[in-house]
């Protein structure tokens, strides 16, 4: 083990490679180099900046290159895309490229690996690909057009990812694996057999224990078939070779640096080569002779070198080769000594044919220490078990493998050094320290430790560690209700409560506050208990709901006529223009494809609504916790790329869900093709058209913490799509916390998207009929609440600026003119005292909160 500290004074560091690990090194160095001792130059072979290769297959699920991007611009980093290094002059300490030379004081090789293509006839035919880069995936997608059959050579982790990609491209898919089981490196024979059952049920045929001997062309010269070692021939118009990777060490080799016994740049445990100025990280680095092909060990090497360049003494902590992933929809996990090669070790296995779950634990010969394991079908115990490797079991083995039969895996027995997050090398000790410093929930732990910010598989354990530390977040809504919003929703629903007074009398205390009153108002509105301004409900509403419009900073209101799907006729455009002109309103196009009318006084609101209602509009929710808009592109009607009627669907969805009160605002969009012009993945529920139907995304949002939505279901018919959205919205309304957007709701859910899918697709909780009925009631009972105000004199009476002078407008609202439109007067002096004495004062209106 190296003990030498670098004590480096800094200078120029050149990074060769901009993959995930190279990017991680740059981020780690920049984050710690507070004195800016190092100037960074990155030489990238690809013309794209670093992207998430672990999620590469998401490209075929609809993820764009932008969504996979990992690069954040940094003024202190010179990123040179499309400029690969061609040589290293160690004597002059210079890296050469086709464009010139780059001197260095430290050189970090992050060249990664390349796909191994076995020496088989025909691998150079058109239609044969590897699966390493986004360019590879784009070429695969292009070649697949109009073809029917595909095959993957290699049944390992990457091979199954590729098989899923071909399946998503509607190719009849085969997998050829030389070993007798799928994923031979990660799972044992029994686990491989269970995995094969899952894979073949999805229509992917596997050929195991055979080799590919040749690829044969068709009449067009492109690949058309595979010949196998057992004499069989498979039709395959597209072939992906996923037979393993090899470290890219050609630069180091040419520069005379020592290599590992099986390739790779030989480095010590400080990740330093034989040249003290040159380091290697990631898949190209042979740490003490061994290359590691997973991202977690790669990140560890990046952290070591960043620390060393700043004078630290970090060493490579050893590779965590644990793997957990969802392949073709199947949970698969492997950790530690999964194959039980430790002398004298014991195996404990569990197989449930009914649920198709297989699990194996490998224990020391005294059955006291967990050495490794395999999980197929149900990997829920993975976070705890992986963290226990090398230590005592947290419970009886059979109880851990078959949780329904007894105890569950706890975190109490985890040692301080146990690695909770392998992606970011975060230990239990670090998590405990963060909790002791005040981190009181999962987002806080993520922010201060980075645990859970990569693959997310450790998030359930973070919650368990918070519980183990005695951190109990109160679920009480406020000081007046001990119940959570979800519990209050159920109380109101089941007991048929219709007023705030009854609810607080029977289930709360005091008189309520500005937290619980709007929440209860929203719950009552969600359950269809009448107009929001009727009776006691009027006093519960939040600021904007008091006047069914959007309060602005000068005390005026804005009105946003609903324009479903952004589609509007010339006649309606003229009406909006006339209303704006007649009431001297400022107009602006919104991001939700509507026209916002600003500057209305309270007493003008009903007059404006009347004009709009008579023209066929209703005023929309640009305020309130309700559906805002369903945005759309023009779709197949006009666009030559469109494949479905996105406008028609957007209009139907907006009319279906208008008026739906929720824990937070809801936004949606429909794109007519994968080009995504409506930005559907930035919405709470977004829809993107496919050739055969619709893909549904959930949990996206813009705002302070932008988040792309997750793909939830693919190729749905319109009927299937609407049914899933109905249930998604009703389950959200029923179970989310106050002011919790759908993204945070899903992230906080135990099991996340998988749990949500089990509830609203598989009906695991038996709720779907209730959710369907609740949405049906909403649709059937919808009423235009602005029109309802116009038709009720009692409701109309509240729309005055002053209750003691209903005919007097608020003279404090004044306007200037900018760019031909009225705008609030900026920095207007306060009215003279004499003027103020002549003005009416507001009496008896409900409290108004901003």
């Amino acid at each position: 083990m190296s003990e030498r500290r670098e004590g480096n004074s800094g200078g120029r560091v050149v990074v060769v490679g901009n993959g995930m690990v190279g990017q991680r090194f740059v981020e780690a160095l920049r984050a710690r180099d507070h004195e800016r001792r190092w100037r960074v130059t990155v030489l990238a072979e690809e013309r794209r900046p670093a992207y998430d290769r672990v999620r590469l297959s998401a490209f075929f699920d609809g993820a764009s290159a932008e969504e996979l991007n990992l690069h954040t611009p940094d003024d202190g980093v010179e990123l040179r895309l499309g400029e690969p290094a061609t040589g290293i002059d160690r004597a002059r300490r210079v890296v050469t490229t086709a464009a010139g030379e780059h001197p260095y004081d430290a050189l970090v090789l992050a060249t990664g690996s390349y796909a191994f293509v076995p020496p088989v006839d025909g691998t150079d035919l058109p239609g044969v690909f590897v699966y390493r880069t986004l360019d590879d995936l784009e070429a695969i997608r292009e070649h697949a057009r109009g073809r029917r059959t595909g095959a993957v050579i290699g049944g390992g982790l990457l091979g199954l990812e590729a098989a899923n990609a071909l399946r998503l491209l509607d190719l009849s898919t085969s997998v050829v694996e030389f070993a007798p089981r799928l994923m031979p490196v990660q799972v044992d024979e029994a686990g491989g057999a269970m995995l094969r059952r899952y894979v073949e049920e999805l229509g992917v045929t596997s050929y195991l224990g055979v080799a590919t001997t040749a690829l044969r062309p068709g009449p067009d010269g492109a690949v058309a078939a595979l010949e196998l070692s057992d004499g069989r021939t498979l039709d395959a118009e597209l072939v992906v070779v996923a037979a393993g990777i090899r470290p890219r060490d050609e630069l180091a080799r040419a520069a005379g640096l020592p290599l590992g016994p099986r390739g790779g740049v030989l480095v010590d445990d400080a990740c330093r080569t034989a040249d003290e100025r040159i380091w290697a990280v990631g898949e190209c680095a042979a740490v003490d002779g061994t290359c590691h092909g997973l991202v977690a060990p790669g990140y560890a090497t990046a952290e070591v070198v960043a620390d060393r360049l700043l004078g630290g003494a970090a060493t490579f902590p050893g590779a965590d080769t644990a793997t957990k992933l969802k392949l073709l929809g199947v949970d698969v996990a492997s950790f530690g000594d999964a194959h039980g090669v430790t002398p004298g070790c014991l195996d404990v296995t569990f197989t449930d044919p009914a649920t198709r779950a297989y699990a194996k634990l490998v224990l020391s010969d005294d059955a006291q220490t967990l050495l490794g394991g395999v999980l197929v079908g149900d990997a829920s115990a993975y976070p705890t078990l992986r963290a226990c490797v090398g230590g005592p079991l947290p419970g009886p083995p059979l109880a851990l493998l078959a949780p329904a039969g007894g105890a569950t895996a706890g975190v109490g027995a985890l040692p301080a050094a146990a690695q909770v997050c392998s992606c970011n090398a975060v230990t239990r000790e670090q998590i405990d320290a963060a909790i002791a410093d005040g981190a009181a929930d999962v987002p806080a732990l993520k922010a201060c430790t980075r645990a859970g910010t990569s693959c997310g598989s450790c998030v359930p354990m973070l919650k368990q560690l918070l519980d183990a530390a005695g951190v109990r977040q109160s679920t009480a809504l406020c000081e007046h209700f001990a119940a959570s919003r979800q519990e209050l929703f159920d109380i109101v629903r089941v007991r048929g409560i219709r007023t705030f007074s009854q609810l607080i009398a029977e289930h709360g205390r005091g008189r309520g506050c500005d937290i619980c009153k709007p929440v209860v108002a929203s719950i009552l509105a969600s359950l269809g208990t009448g107009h929001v301004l009727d009776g006691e409900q009027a006093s519960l509403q939040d600021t904007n709901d008091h006047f069914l419009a959007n309060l602005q900073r000068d005390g005026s209101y804005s009105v946003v006529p609903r324009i479903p799907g952004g589609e509007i006729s010339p006649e309606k455009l003229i009406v909006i223009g006339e209303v704006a002109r007649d009431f001297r309103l400022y107009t602006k196009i919104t991001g939700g494809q509507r026209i916002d009318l600003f500057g209305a006084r309270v007493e003008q609101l009903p007059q404006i609504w009347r004009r709009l209602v008579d023209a066929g509009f209703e005023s929309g929710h640009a305020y309130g916790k309700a559906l805002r808009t369903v945005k759309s592109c023009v779709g197949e009607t006009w666009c030559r790329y469109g494949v479905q009627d996105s406008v028609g669907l957007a209009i139907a969805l907006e009319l279906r869900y208008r008026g739906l009160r929720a824990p937070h605002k809801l936004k949606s969009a429909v794109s007519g093709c994968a080009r995504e012009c409506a930005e559907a993945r930035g919405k709470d529920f977004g829809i993107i058209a496919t050739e055969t139907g619709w893909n549904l995304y959930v949990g996206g949002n813009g705002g302070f913490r932008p988040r792309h939505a997750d793909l939830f279901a693919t190729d749905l018919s319109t009927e299937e799509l609407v049914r899933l959205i109905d249930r998604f919205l009703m389950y959200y309304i029923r179970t989310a916390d106050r002011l919790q957007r759908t993204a945070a709701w899903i992230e906080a859910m135990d099991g996340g998207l998988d749990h949500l899918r089990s509830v609203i697709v598989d009906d695991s909780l038996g709720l779907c009929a209730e959710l369907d009925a609740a949405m049906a009631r909403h649709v059937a009972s919808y009423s235009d609440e602005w029109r309802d105000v116009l038709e009720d004199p009692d409701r109309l009476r509240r729309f005055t600026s002053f209750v003691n002078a209903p005919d007097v407008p608020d003279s404090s609202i004044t306007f200037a003119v900018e760019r031909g439109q009225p705008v609030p007067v900026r920095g207007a002096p306060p009215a003279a005292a004499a003027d103020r004495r002549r003005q009416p004062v507001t009496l008896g209106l409900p409290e108004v909160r901003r």
Side-chain angles (χ1 to χ4, degrees):
M1 175 179 291
S2 174
E3 298 294 337
R4 179 157 60 100
R5 287 174 179 267
E6 303 314 309
N8 207 319
S9 59
R12 296 160 298 189
V13 57
V14 174
V15 184
V16 179
N18 189 223
M20 293 179 70
V21 175
Q23 179 67 21
R24 180 60 169 266
F25 163 75
V26 172
E27 291 175 359
L29 181 68
R30 294 287 294 167
R32 300 174 192 175
D33 185 12
H34 304 297
E35 299 172 1
R36 294 296 182 246
R37 293 153 58 184
W38 290 98
R39 301 190 306 279
V40 182
T41 299
V42 179
L43 303 176
E45 184 174 48
E46 291 187 66
R47 295 191 176 278
R48 306 176 195 267
Y51 51 87
D52 189 348
R53 293 181 195 272
V54 173
R55 293 184 59 228
L56 205 56
S57 295
F59 182 76
F60 291 110
D61 277 338
S64 65
E66 290 72 23
E67 288 178 77
L68 299 176
N69 176 56
L70 295 176
H71 174 69
T72 302
D74 183 338
D75 291 339
V77 179
E78 181 185 10
L79 174 60
R80 302 179 72 90
L81 297 174
E83 187 178 340
T86 55
I88 303 170
D89 186 334
R90 291 170 55 193
R92 296 171 53 221
R93 297 209 297 270
V94 166
V95 178
T96 58
T97 70
E101 294 186 338
H102 299 277
Y104 65 82
D105 295 293
L107 171 62
V108 179
L109 300 176
T111 48
S113 57
Y114 65 89
F116 169 66
V117 179
V120 173
D121 287 346
T123 52
D124 57 346
L125 290 171
V128 181
F129 303 91
V130 296
Y131 199 83
R132 291 292 293 169
T133 68
L134 282 171
D135 288 343
D136 293 335
L137 270 56
E138 288 180 342
I140 289 170
R141 183 169 62 185
E142 183 62 28
H143 187 81
R145 295 184 193 282
R147 291 180 165 82
R148 298 178 295 106
T149 57
V152 178
I153 300 175
L157 190 156
L158 193 62
L160 293 185
E161 292 273 6
N164 192 39
L166 300 193
R167 195 175 66 91
L168 293 173
L169 291 170
D170 292 331
L171 298 182
S172 175
T173 304
S174 303
V175 173
V176 179
E177 168 57 46
F178 181 74
R181 62 180 181 274
L182 296 171
M183 290 187 70
V185 175
Q186 287 83 15
V187 304
D188 59 1
E189 185 175 349
M194 187 67 78
L195 180 59
R196 182 179 185 177
R197 285 184 56 192
Y198 277 110
V199 169
E200 295 200 334
E201 285 178 6
L202 293 170
V204 176
T205 306
S206 55
Y207 297 85
L208 306 179
V210 294
T212 302
T213 55
L215 307 183
R216 298 304 179 199
D220 62 353
V223 67
L226 274 75
E227 293 181 359
L228 304 183
S229 58
D230 61 2
R232 286 181 289 183
T233 299
L234 306 180
D235 291 339
E237 299 168 280
L238 187 155
V239 174
V240 175
V241 180
I245 58 173
R246 300 291 185 271
R248 293 194 59 177
D249 54 16
E250 60 270 21
L251 276 177
R253 187 189 304 272
L257 291 170
L259 305 180
R262 302 185 64 182
V265 188
L266 187 64
V267 296
D268 60 14
D269 62 359
C271 300
R272 181 176 41 219
T273 69
D275 185 327
E276 65 176 3
R277 298 279 183 171
I278 303 178
W279 314 74
V281 298
E283 294 173 347
C284 72
V287 185
D288 292 331
T290 303
C291 292
H292 302 285
L294 297 173
V295 71
Y299 280 170
T301 60
E303 298 285 342
V304 168
V305 175
D307 181 76
R308 286 278 177 166
L309 289 185
L310 295 171
T315 57
F316 184 64
D320 182 351
T321 57
T323 305
K324 175 182 179 293
L325 65 164
K326 187 179 285 293
L327 286 168
L328 294 156
V330 185
D331 279 334
V332 180
S334 169
F335 52 95
D337 182 10
H339 295 289
V341 299
T342 303
C345 66
L346 306 173
D347 289 353
V348 180
T349 60
F350 170 80
T351 304
D352 184 350
T355 61
R356 294 185 300 170
Y358 169 77
K360 180 179 80 171
L361 295 184
V362 181
L363 308 177
S364 59
D365 54 3
D366 60 358
Q368 297 300 307
T369 302
L370 178 63
L371 301 178
V374 175
L375 304 169
V376 177
D378 178 5
S380 57
Y382 168 78
T384 301
L385 292 174
R386 188 200 55 74
C388 289
V389 171
L393 281 171
L398 280 178
L400 295 171
L401 296 181
T408 57
V411 299
L414 283 182
Q419 203 168 73
V420 173
C421 174
S422 60
C423 296
N424 295 287
V426 182
T427 65
R428 175 178 179 171
E429 184 178 25
Q430 292 170 298
I431 297 294
D432 287 345
I435 294 172
D437 286 342
D441 52 26
V442 171
L445 288 176
K446 285 183 175 180
C448 61
T449 68
R450 299 185 72 171
T453 58
S454 296
C455 76
S457 65
C458 64
V459 168
M461 184 179 288
L462 299 181
K463 294 178 180 177
Q464 294 175 34
L465 289 170
L466 284 164
D467 289 340
V471 178
R472 297 284 191 275
Q473 286 188 285
S474 172
T475 58
L477 182 64
C478 66
E479 62 181 294
H480 303 102
F481 288 100
S484 67
R485 181 197 174 278
Q486 179 181 348
E487 291 165 336
L488 284 179
F489 188 98
D490 287 337
I491 291 170
V492 173
R493 178 178 62 87
V494 173
R495 299 207 55 229
I497 293 175
R498 292 294 177 264
T499 66
F500 178 83
S501 298
Q502 182 186 357
L503 183 65
I504 199 168
E506 297 179 4
H507 299 278
R509 56 182 177 270
R511 302 174 61 184
C513 63
D514 58 0
I515 294 176
C516 60
K517 286 182 177 177
V519 168
V520 174
S522 173
I523 292 173
L524 292 171
S526 299
L527 293 171
T529 55
H531 198 283
V532 297
L533 297 185
D534 280 353
E536 183 188 271
Q537 281 207 61
S539 63
L540 305 178
Q541 304 301 327
D542 215 334
T543 306
N544 294 323
D545 285 294
H546 277 299
F547 293 112
L548 305 182
N550 212 5
L551 178 66
Q552 304 301 313
R553 62 187 306 164
D554 67 336
S556 67
Y557 288 82
S558 72
V559 174
V560 189
R562 186 180 301 284
I563 304 175
E567 182 182 77
I568 187 168
S569 66
E571 290 75 18
K572 285 191 171 182
L573 276 173
I574 290 169
V575 170
I576 290 178
E578 289 175 342
V579 169
R581 180 198 60 203
D582 295 347
F583 290 90
R584 293 184 52 76
L585 303 176
Y586 172 92
T587 58
K588 190 174 189 311
I589 308 294
T590 75
Q593 299 181 333
R594 296 188 290 183
I595 300 173
D596 210 341
L597 308 173
F598 291 84
R601 296 191 304 272
V602 169
E603 68 275 11
Q604 291 179 315
L605 290 173
Q607 302 169 44
I608 293 170
W609 294 339
R610 171 55 65 195
R611 294 275 295 273
L612 293 173
V613 166
D614 289 346
F617 285 104
E618 65 178 45
S619 190
H621 283 114
Y623 61 90
K625 309 301 181 279
L627 178 77
R628 299 293 176 84
T629 66
V630 182
K631 187 176 173 181
S632 76
C633 64
V634 295
E636 66 169 358
T637 309
W638 293 95
C639 178
R640 57 197 174 99
Y641 299 112
V643 295
Q644 302 286 352
D645 180 10
S646 54
V647 177
L649 180 64
I651 292 172
L653 294 178
E654 182 157 347
L655 294 179
R656 183 173 183 82
Y657 302 127
R658 59 183 170 175
L660 187 64
R661 253 58 179 201
H664 210 304
K665 63 185 175 186
L666 291 165
K667 293 186 177 182
S668 180
V670 183
S671 284
C673 76
R675 285 170 173 77
E676 244 285 71
C677 294
E679 302 167 321
R681 276 172 287 188
K683 309 300 182 188
D684 294 278
F685 60 101
I687 300 98
I688 300 177
T690 69
E691 294 282 353
T692 55
W694 307 97
N695 285 351
L696 173 61
Y697 295 78
V698 296
N701 59 247
F704 186 71
R705 285 185 57 213
R707 183 185 188 279
H708 271 116
D710 296 312
L711 180 64
F712 187 74
T714 60
D715 286 329
L716 300 166
S717 67
T718 302
E719 182 182 356
E720 293 169 332
L721 172 77
V722 172
R723 183 164 60 244
L724 280 186
I725 299 173
D726 284 356
R727 294 173 180 176
F728 169 72
L729 292 176
M730 280 303 174
Y731 190 50
Y732 166 65
I733 290 170
R734 186 164 171 169
T735 62
D737 288 333
R738 168 182 173 267
L739 299 182
Q740 189 176 38
R741 288 293 294 268
T742 56
W745 172 63
I746 295 171
E747 288 175 358
M749 195 181 292
D750 280 341
L753 210 61
D754 289 341
H755 174 74
L756 179 63
R757 193 174 283 113
S758 75
V759 173
I760 66 174
V761 177
D762 303 330
D763 200 14
S764 61
L765 300 181
L767 288 177
C768 286
E770 286 185 34
L771 301 177
D772 293 344
M775 185 58 79
R777 284 194 298 272
H778 164 76
V779 174
S781 63
Y782 175 77
S783 180
D784 178 349
E785 60 192 34
W786 301 272
R787 178 196 291 268
D788 294 341
V789 168
L790 296 175
E791 294 174 352
D792 187 325
D794 288 338
R795 294 171 186 155
L796 273 175
R797 274 195 284 272
R798 73 171 38 247
F799 290 86
T800 59
S801 294
F802 305 103
V803 295
N804 57 333
D807 299 326
V808 178
D810 186 350
S811 62
S812 67
I813 298 175
T814 57
F815 300 97
V817 175
E818 282 186 10
R819 298 177 293 277
Q821 291 216 76
V823 296
V825 176
R826 296 190 175 97
D835 292 338
R836 290 200 301 270
R837 284 194 294 272
R838 289 196 295 270
Q839 290 180 355
V841 295
T842 306
L843 294 175
L845 282 174
E847 179 186 3
V848 174
R849 298 175 294 279
R850 296 188 73 85

